[in-house]
């Protein structure tokens, strides 16, 4: 059930933050964005992907290693300039 996944993943975000690992935070946010997408809430999914993009920039993660977040972002309509990742 996507709604249950969203609830569980949303509860996991503070734990990822406590781990003080931006990599873990980005991963958790990417999985949460996927769950939000499956639940039909693209606004929340895009908000998560925006945070993921900021973490990727902060960590200087090469674009080739951002595939899952980019694939999720590609599901949303809009111009390339609106793409959060």
């Amino acid at each position: 059930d996507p709604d249950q996944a969203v609830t569980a993943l949303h509860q996991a975000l503070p734990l990822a933050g406590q781990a003080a690992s931006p990599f873990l935070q980005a991963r958790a946010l990417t999985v949460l964005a996927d769950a939000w997408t499956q639940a039909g809430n693209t606004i929340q999914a895009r908000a998560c992907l925006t945070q993921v993009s900021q973490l990727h920039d902060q960590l200087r993660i090469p674009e080739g290693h951002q595939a899952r977040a980019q694939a999720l972002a590609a599901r949303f309509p809009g111009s390339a300039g609106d793409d959060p990742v």
Side-chain angles (χ1 to χ4, degrees), residues 15-56:
L15 297 174
Q18 288 174 5
S21 169
F23 290 106
L24 181 58
Q25 291 172 329
R27 178 73 175 140
L29 284 163
T30 300
V31 175
L32 179 57
D34 192 13
W36 276 122
T37 300
Q38 291 179 36
N41 191 328
T42 57
I43 293 171
Q44 289 295 334
R46 287 181 68 84
C48 288
L49 292 173
T50 297
Q51 292 178 51
V52 170
S53 180
Q54 292 168 352
L55 286 168
H56 285 172

Side-chain angles (χ1 to χ4, degrees), residues 56 60-71 85:
H56 285 172
R60 298 185 179 150
I61 295 176
E63 202 170 306
H65 293 278
Q66 301 176 25
R68 185 169 185 187
Q70 290 172 339
V85 182

